[in-house]
Amino acid sequence: MKSLAVALSLTLIALGVSAHAEEGVQITPAGSTPTLIGNARNFSGQAAVDLKAAGDSDKLAGVGMVTFMPGARTAWHTHPDGQLLIVTAGKGWVQEAGQPRREIKAGDVVWIAAGVKHWHGAARDSLMRHLAIAYMRDGRNADWKELVSDAQYDAH
Ligand code: MN
């Protein structure tokens, strides 16, 4: 029976389907999932989201590459177990509630601690792209709040 199982596994691998999706080394080819447009409840302006890993009960984090057009930003939100941002292109801003906004640019790494209300997005005159790694707690990795108004976005 073992040889049958091995033969079946090899057949599935040949078909590009793993019978054990969580084992071994996995490669998800670029473009495997469609680019999503950030929805208007959680984003202002144009933001494109390429989901790299879905956050679910088996994963430690949801991972997405997010590209913000100039002026685009997230709504205010918190992360129940924190978030790591790695800026890969352009220039943008991140703001913790009650603090001045801060500039971030390609190469910068940002850590947002659990429960801290904040937003992140592009600058007015530049796109900004970051890899966002939001750690899961109790099956959630973000709690969304109100949109960032133009007055809040432009204040500094
Ligand atoms: Mn965030």
Side-chain angles (χ1 to χ4, degrees):
M1 286 307 290
K2 186 173 183 189
S3 62
L4 177 60
V6 169
L8 180 60
S9 291
L10 290 173
T11 301
L12 290 171
I13 290 167
L15 292 171
V17 177
S18 170
H20 304 285
E22 300 303 320
E23 295 177 8
V25 175
Q26 302 167 59
I27 296 175
T28 303
S32 297
T33 58
T35 297
L36 308 173
I37 302 299
N39 75 65
R41 280 180 294 106
N42 300 340
F43 293 86
S44 300
Q46 290 290 307
V49 181
D50 284 308
L51 199 61
K52 298 301 185 184
D56 60 35
S57 59
D58 295 320
K59 300 285 195 306
L60 295 174
V63 181
M65 185 69 86
V66 187
T67 304
F68 299 87
M69 291 297 108
R73 66 273 188 180
T74 68
W76 291 100
H77 62 285
T78 61
H79 300 286
D81 208 25
Q83 181 183 47
L84 191 65
L85 303 177
I86 302 170
V87 184
T88 61
K91 185 180 73 176
W93 294 323
V94 60
Q95 185 177 19
E96 175 180 347
Q99 302 290 326
R101 76 178 190 211
R102 296 158 74 181
E103 185 174 292
I104 51 177
K105 58 187 187 309
D108 290 347
V109 177
V110 181
W111 170 249
I112 295 150
V116 172
K117 185 178 177 181
H118 69 288
W119 61 267
H120 30 105
R124 267 285 179 215
D125 60 353
S126 173
L127 69 74
M128 190 274 283
R129 178 176 297 131
H130 65 43
L131 189 68
I133 303 168
Y135 296 90
M136 306 294 296
R137 181 181 291 178
D138 299 330
R140 307 176 59 79
N141 65 4
D143 292 298
W144 293 96
K145 304 180 188 307
E146 70 278 11
L147 292 174
V148 176
S149 69
D150 284 343
Q152 291 174 322
Y153 176 76
D154 287 316
H156 55 90

